Amino acid sequence: MTVMEQRGAYRPTPPPAWQPRTDPAPLLPDAEPYRVLGTDAADRADPELLRRLYAELVRGRRYNAQATALTKQGRLAVYPSSTGQEACQVGAALVLQDRDWLFPSYRDTLAVVARGVDPVEALTLLRGDWHTGYDPYEHRVAPLCTPLATQLPHAVGLAHAARLKGDDVVALALVGDGGSSEGDFHEALNFAAVWQAPVVFLVQNNGFAISVPLAKQTAAPSLAHKAVGYGMRGRLVDGNDAAAVHEVLTDAVRHARAGGGPTLVEAITYRVDAHTNSDDATRYRADAEVETWREHDPILLLERELTERDLIDEDGIQAARQDAETFAAALRERMNQDPALDPMDLFTHVYAEPTPQLREQHALLRTELDAEAESEGAHR
């Protein structure tokens, strides 16, 4: 007891009962990932949507295989395959309206293509030819983001700015489980919830951040549980169930557009291929683990559902595969053509107004190129 208390001058009063600002119960994800395929919920699914998802998955799988082959041929510098994660990629692209924005990570090339970006332009960054190969504003697709999670605050800023302007726009940001360990991830979720920004975060939990398993990144029950800490809804979905991914993301986008604020969606999936073509995944995971996940392949799951419900026959399956082969052949032919590159483009679109250092470097390179051209002309 203090001296003031002994003298009777201090009369502490109990604090008022604490009440949470938000009831956490509605924000918590389900205990198990949400599924549609193989459940009663599949009966409510639109057959046309299921067939479209299937065609996009088959084409996406072939796209991943072709892009990986292009790295072996020296036509791509690197390619982070999304084989096994096609349901997440396609689902993310198909739920957005034309006015919405997609914010991809470096592994989300397939989502960019499914959104409508030219497949060669989508690979330009990974080829090393350009900063990004497409016009982000034209397609409403932000540049493929190599640094982990830095696209998430950008998505929040765009969504918040759009709402302030009165634009009916939703941003959908993709990130891997490894990105959830970055500070940008937490800052983005915090600002999104405080501002009630119309943004959806899709975490593709594919089990590994390069070679680091999820268990060494977080002790949370699920990544979706992190949502409640920021005051937003968390959803847990089977990331290999294309119909479930599409349904959950559709609900999240609708919720954001209606002013309900952001949602964190965790899709449980698996990275079947290595981290990139330069990675040796056998050093940190067993082949048996990969084979187990192949039995839960997104194409296999959807094909089985469509077949059992007589929504597709063998001719339909073969038509989807042939379309994918045609797509891959066109991509291969175009990627085998050497691009015409101008070294001076290195300085284009770096800053709206070039810095003094960039102007100096620009002049230096110009001088070197002119001297080289003059020398070659003298020796002809």
Side-chain angles (χ1 to χ4, degrees):
M1 181 177 294
T2 66
V3 174
M4 293 294 291
E5 288 174 325
Q6 293 174 346
R7 294 177 179 175
Y10 178 65
R11 296 287 186 272
T13 57
W18 178 83
Q19 294 293 330
R21 288 188 291 271
T22 303
D23 180 7
L27 306 181
L28 290 171
D30 295 333
E32 295 292 329
Y34 177 69
R35 295 181 175 88
V36 169
L37 301 179
T39 73
D40 293 340
D43 296 333
R44 303 190 300 270
D46 180 8
E48 286 301 318
L49 172 63
L50 294 181
R51 281 189 284 263
R52 184 184 179 191
L53 287 170
Y54 178 75
E56 291 286 351
L57 291 182
V58 172
R59 188 178 74 160
R61 175 66 55 82
R62 188 64 185 87
Y63 176 81
N64 273 313
Q66 185 59 69
T68 300
L70 288 169
T71 64
K72 299 176 182 179
Q73 299 164 11
R75 290 296 178 178
L76 278 179
V78 66
Y79 186 70
S81 173
S82 58
T83 295
Q85 301 177 220
E86 291 93 348
C88 299
Q89 304 271 307
V90 170
L94 296 191
V95 300
L96 296 176
Q97 298 183 14
D98 289 344
R99 62 184 179 277
D100 296 329
W101 276 80
L102 179 71
F103 282 79
S105 74
Y106 60 88
R107 195 177 298 280
D108 300 318
T109 315
L110 175 54
V112 172
V113 173
R115 176 74 167 149
V117 174
D118 181 283
V120 172
E121 292 181 353
L123 291 173
T124 300
L125 173 68
L126 301 174
R127 197 177 191 178
D129 291 345
W130 193 247
H131 303 296
T132 190
Y134 52 88
D135 181 349
Y137 188 80
E138 176 187 353
H139 299 283
R140 298 298 178 99
V141 177
L144 289 167
C145 187
T146 302
L148 292 186
T150 56
Q151 73 275 19
L152 304 186
H154 300 164
V156 176
L158 182 141
H160 180 56
R163 191 179 66 168
L164 292 178
K165 292 173 61 180
D167 294 339
D168 186 19
V169 169
V170 173
L172 174 54
L174 309 180
V175 69
D177 49 290
S180 70
S181 296
E182 295 288 329
D184 288 294
F185 174 88
H186 301 280
E187 291 157 7
L189 265 63
N190 189 58
F191 277 117
V194 169
W195 290 336
Q196 288 293 282
V199 60
V200 176
F201 302 97
L202 174 60
V203 179
Q204 298 173 76
N205 180 3
N206 64 20
F208 292 92
I210 308 182
S211 60
V212 180
L214 183 67
K216 292 187 177 181
Q217 292 189 70
T218 179
S222 73
L223 296 176
H225 276 81
K226 294 179 181 290
V228 68
Y230 296 101
M232 69 175 69
R233 296 193 311 166
R235 297 292 307 274
L236 190 61
V237 64
D238 183 341
N240 287 16
D241 184 334
V245 172
H246 189 276
E247 182 178 328
V248 168
L249 290 179
T250 297
D251 174 72
V253 169
R254 184 187 305 115
H255 179 79
R257 200 183 308 279
T263 301
L264 173 63
V265 179
E266 178 186 0
I268 306 298
T269 183
Y270 193 77
R271 192 193 74 209
V272 174
D273 288 344
H275 174 67
T276 68
N277 53 288
S278 62
D279 173 44
D280 180 7
T282 62
R283 298 181 62 184
Y284 53 84
R285 67 182 187 186
D287 291 341
E289 176 181 314
V290 179
E291 290 306 313
T292 298
W293 275 93
R294 288 189 189 278
E295 298 173 4
H296 196 65
D297 181 273
I299 296 178
L300 179 63
L301 294 178
L302 188 50
E303 185 175 298
R304 182 184 301 149
E305 185 75 35
L306 289 168
T307 302
E308 291 178 354
R309 295 177 58 189
D310 293 324
L311 297 177
I312 197 171
D313 55 16
E314 186 60 29
D315 288 342
I317 293 174
Q318 291 303 321
R321 293 174 180 174
Q322 184 55 52
D323 175 72
E325 287 299 327
T326 302
F327 175 83
L331 173 63
R332 183 169 58 250
E333 180 180 358
R334 294 176 61 198
M335 289 294 291
N336 281 333
Q337 299 171 7
D338 292 328
L341 301 177
D342 182 358
M344 300 309 299
D345 284 339
L346 179 66
F347 303 98
T348 306
H349 305 306
V350 179
Y351 291 104
E353 293 293 333
T355 63
Q357 291 83 0
L358 279 181
R359 288 196 294 269
E360 179 181 350
Q361 294 168 20
H362 182 280
L364 179 61
L365 180 58
R366 180 75 275 167
T367 300
E368 292 178 353
L369 291 175
D370 290 344
E372 181 179 336
E374 182 178 346
S375 176
E376 290 178 354
H379 286 85
R380 287 177 183 173

